[in-house]
Amino acid sequence: DAKTTQPTSMDCAEGRAANLPCNHSTISGNEYVYWYRQIHSQGPQYIIHGLKNNETNEMASLIITEDRKSSTLILPHATLRDTAVYYCIVRVVSGTYKYIFGTGTRLKVLA
Amino acid sequence: ETGVTQTPRHLVMGMTNKKSLKCEQHLGHNAMYWYKQSAKKPLELMFVYSLEERVENNSVPSRFSPECPNSSHLFLHLHTLQPEDSALYLCASSQGDRHESEQYFGPGTRLTVT
């Protein structure tokens, strides 16, 4: 079973920041938080990952709370093309190839 | 071709047919994966190959038979499937299993079993 909890769906206005929350209260010290997204009927796409520090790349920012029990993915200026299902995944690295995908958050960006 | 490609993109087969799904990665990765995504369900990991050796097999029925002849190619051989096997089958690749080794997914094969 997935070790994360995400809202089923969210809406965001185009051009505004989209903040997608994820709870992972049972996360262990050696587990990373990953975010992927899946645009309708396509394969998932990697967005970002982190351990305990906040991370930023050209796609998004990842904010992880100090106790690591939750995180937020931020898309700074959402566009219609960001409409997708966003998956938050907790994963032990090294020694396993397993990603356990949950049901994710369906983000709809509104014009 | 770039990234991860999958063929065919769509497949309709009867329960008595035998077919194969093909995946090819052009990224120089050493690990390849098969996932199943049924309607309104999360992705389910089926098989993982690392350096052409199977390292994960998540209790998948024997009617699904994977093959990894080299690090760039992955096949999923199908026989005697059931209607509940209708799903999107996704292939992915990565460079090892370390934290920075994100998975790259192909576009998937939409399989319908009649």
Side-chain angles (χ1 to χ4, degrees):
Chain A
D1 290 346
K3 297 179 66 174
T4 61
T5 304
Q6 299 177 252
T8 302
S9 63
M10 294 180 64
D11 290 341
C12 176
E14 189 178 20
R16 305 297 289 267
N19 297 287
L20 292 95
C22 179
N23 285 321
H24 31 80
S25 57
T26 61
I27 194 170
S28 301
N30 62 346
E31 291 180 315
Y32 282 72
V33 179
Y34 290 77
W35 284 84
Y36 282 73
R37 72 180 182 184
Q38 186 174 22
I39 296 170
H40 181 61
S41 293
Q42 297 181 22
Q45 175 192 23
Y46 166 81
I47 301 172
I48 199 167
H49 76 280
L51 180 62
K52 54 184 178 181
N53 297 321
N54 298 338
E55 302 287 345
T56 296
N57 63 20
E58 65 278 2
M59 288 183 70
S61 295
L62 174 60
I63 309 298
I64 303 174
T65 57
E66 193 167 339
D67 64 6
R68 301 186 69 237
K69 294 185 182 224
S70 66
S71 60
T72 301
L73 178 75
I74 301 172
L75 308 178
H77 304 288
T79 71
L80 298 178
R81 288 176 295 179
D82 293 321
T83 293
V85 178
Y86 287 77
Y87 299 101
C88 170
I89 302 161
V90 164
R91 174 179 170 248
V92 174
V93 292
S94 193
T96 178
Y97 291 85
K98 279 188 177 179
Y99 278 77
I100 301 177
F101 285 79
T103 52
T105 296
R106 186 171 298 277
L107 175 69
K108 187 173 182 180
V109 180
L110 306 171
Chain B
E1 290 278 14
T2 58
V4 180
T5 58
Q6 292 186 241
T7 54
R9 294 294 309 278
H10 300 272
L11 177 62
V12 179
M13 61 185 288
M15 289 190 285
T16 59
N17 291 159
K18 288 185 181 181
K19 296 285 185 183
S20 296
L21 309 185
K22 179 183 176 182
C23 175
E24 184 173 0
Q25 60 96 1
H26 309 267
L27 300 166
H29 289 165
N30 58 15
M32 297 188 76
Y33 310 70
W34 279 118
Y35 286 86
K36 174 185 178 183
Q37 187 172 34
S38 303
K40 302 193 187 302
K41 284 188 174 181
L43 277 78
E44 300 171 59
L45 181 64
M46 300 175 73
F47 302 103
V48 183
Y49 278 81
S50 173
L51 299 171
E52 298 140 51
E53 179 181 339
R54 193 188 309 179
V55 294
E56 293 279 354
N57 179 349
N58 284 344
S59 304
V60 180
S62 60
R63 58 186 183 269
F64 295 92
S65 175
E67 179 190 2
C68 187
N70 55 62
S71 60
S72 299
H73 293 87
L74 185 65
F75 294 89
L76 189 62
H77 304 298
L78 316 171
H79 64 97
T80 347
L81 294 193
Q82 304 298 311
E84 60 264 29
D85 297 322
S86 298
L88 181 68
Y89 289 84
L90 290 157
C91 173
S93 70
S94 72
Q95 184 58 29
D97 63 350
R98 297 187 57 76
H99 75 88
E100 65 270 20
S101 305
E102 70 261 29
Q103 294 189 358
Y104 290 78
F105 285 80
T109 295
R110 174 75 59 188
L111 173 67
T112 302
V113 181
T114 60

